[in-house]
Amino acid sequence: MHDYHAVSALVSGLMRDPGLAGDIVEVRVQASPVFSTESLAQAYEMLTQETPLAGSRLVVEEATDRRECATCGTAWAVSRDGVVGPLVICPSCGVPSPLGADTAIGL
């Protein structure tokens, strides 16, 4: 569900400038691997219907989200498999840490 909310925020930001929205054919973003590229694209298509962004497409490039566990010191690249709700789980010791605002979509 965080995929939908992230895309909703993206679309809202783009729609704030109505002159810009009508000229957009493609939107390129970098997204943490905790996001499903398919879900992001589907949410974008749903949220842009009947808007000036209709017909444009979302292109998602996967960004690297590296973490270091504050408890055991293990460093790893976060994947969707290591995310439970709003938490990232350390693959070594199982200690959770919040996804945080840094795990998002960026233009």
Side-chain angles (χ1 to χ4, degrees):
M1 193 60 152
H2 63 282
D3 298 31
Y4 180 87
H5 291 293
V7 174
S8 180
L10 172 66
V11 170
S12 292
L14 292 170
M15 293 302 295
R16 283 191 198 113
D17 184 350
L20 178 66
D23 295 333
I24 295 177
V25 178
E26 180 176 274
V27 175
R28 290 186 168 274
V29 296
Q30 283 192 340
S32 167
V34 302
F35 290 97
S36 160
T37 55
E38 296 82 16
S39 294
L40 293 172
Q42 183 179 28
Y44 184 83
E45 187 176 332
M46 282 179 15
L47 290 166
T48 58
Q49 289 179 2
E50 300 181 26
T51 74
L53 292 168
S56 65
R57 68 184 191 111
L58 183 67
V59 177
V60 181
E61 298 170 3
E62 194 170 287
T64 302
D65 184 359
R66 298 213 40 90
R67 297 283 176 115
E68 185 172 323
C69 180
T71 301
C72 72
T74 297
W76 78 98
V78 176
S79 70
R80 275 178 242 143
D81 296 335
V83 176
V84 177
L87 302 172
V88 175
I89 308 301
C90 174
S92 286
C93 69
V95 169
S97 62
L99 276 174
D102 60 329
T103 307
I105 295 179
L107 293 173

